[in-house]
Amino acid sequence: MATPYHLQSPRTIIAKLINMKQHPASLPQPPEPEPPKLILQPRHRTTPAMWCAAIFCFAFSILLIIAGVVILIVFLVVKPRAPSFDAASATLNAVYVGSPPYVNGDMTLVANVSNPNQKIDVVFRSAAVELFFRGRLMAAQALPPFAQRRGQSRIVDVRMVSSQVMLPPDLAVEMLNQMKSNRVAYTVRGKFKVQASIWFWHYTYWMSALCDLELTAPPCGVLVARRCSTR
């Protein structure tokens, strides 16, 4: 049994303290963590089919870039413009408003279609011209296909005949009032499928035309004002 400190001599106590400083009690050390294990995935070999697909995609991308550059250069050099559609003259031959409100009418439109391009030939594959009164369709006429060389213009006669076209009462009254005032307003809309040719290259697009016309009253109504646009 150990002797209590108060019964030990001072020399013994000092000797024990010196011995404890020289030989401290060792604490248990925590175990060292294990290094992480690397899981290596097996390498997949590139097959010949994958190489062929990659080469094909690369070659196709190069061809697309070259084609885009060529098209851009052609457009910068040629500077293509859309053909123009204009109302050269028009004649309002007859308009009859019956009761209940229906309209019979006859108009002859002389249109000037021109190709302003100096390096592009165009072909009008299909063409349709429509006549409107205050947004109401009055007549429609299809045109046969025709070609235009660069810088050429062409006069096209379009006969617009309205037959038993029903009108709301307010529009019928407005038409009668316009004929009394000797100013009849119509709108002409055209839609064209155009094929353009640049050297060895052909492309097709749709073109639309809009003309606001003002004519004197029939039977000898003539064109007194017009405003046409093409896009």
Side-chain angles (χ1 to χ4, degrees):
M1 185 175 178
T3 304
Y5 277 98
H6 66 280
L7 298 180
Q8 295 180 11
S9 64
R11 182 180 296 178
T12 304
I13 294 173
I14 292 172
K16 285 184 178 183
L17 291 175
I18 293 173
N19 187 35
M20 289 175 64
K21 288 184 177 181
Q22 291 178 353
H23 303 284
S26 59
L27 297 175
Q29 299 294 330
E32 296 183 0
E34 296 183 359
K37 296 181 180 180
L38 299 178
I39 302 176
L40 300 178
Q41 297 291 339
R43 293 185 61 185
H44 297 283
R45 296 183 60 187
T46 305
T47 62
M50 295 176 65
W51 279 109
C52 291
I55 293 173
F56 174 79
C57 292
F58 178 75
F60 185 70
S61 302
I62 296 297
L63 289 177
L64 283 180
I65 294 173
I66 294 175
V69 172
V70 170
I71 292 174
L72 178 61
I73 293 174
V74 169
F75 269 77
L76 291 177
V77 172
V78 176
K79 297 179 181 178
R81 297 167 58 189
S84 63
F85 179 91
D86 187 22
S89 67
T91 304
L92 190 57
N93 303 310
V95 174
Y96 174 75
V97 181
S99 180
Y102 67 89
V103 175
N104 292 329
D106 184 3
M107 175 194 289
T108 302
L109 174 68
V110 179
N112 182 17
V113 184
S114 60
N115 177 14
N117 297 284
Q118 299 301 320
K119 299 179 181 179
I120 302 177
D121 299 328
V122 297
V123 178
F124 290 83
R125 293 298 181 186
S126 65
V129 180
E130 297 174 328
L131 181 67
F132 291 85
F133 178 79
R134 291 293 186 263
R136 179 76 59 164
L137 180 63
M138 306 298 295
Q141 182 67 49
L143 303 179
F146 60 93
Q148 275 191 311
R149 293 188 58 81
R150 58 201 72 176
Q152 284 187 346
S153 297
R154 181 189 181 99
I155 298 297
V156 180
D157 293 331
V158 185
R159 182 111 180 254
M160 312 296 292
V161 177
S162 305
S163 178
Q164 301 290 316
V165 178
M166 300 300 297
L167 283 182
D170 56 335
L171 290 185
V173 171
E174 183 175 356
M175 179 172 281
L176 290 173
N177 291 335
Q178 288 187 8
M179 287 192 293
K180 290 178 182 179
S181 64
N182 203 29
R183 288 292 186 273
V184 184
Y186 281 100
T187 300
V188 174
R189 296 177 185 173
K191 190 172 184 180
F192 311 91
K193 185 178 182 181
V194 184
Q195 178 182 313
S197 302
I198 306 175
W199 302 321
F200 56 86
W201 184 38
H202 306 278
Y203 64 97
T204 302
Y205 61 94
W206 286 94
M207 183 189 84
S208 60
L210 179 66
C211 288
D212 293 323
L213 309 179
E214 189 173 329
L215 304 97
T216 58
C220 299
V222 296
L223 182 65
V224 293
R226 76 181 189 280
R227 183 179 58 191
C228 295
S229 62
T230 306
R231 59 181 180 178

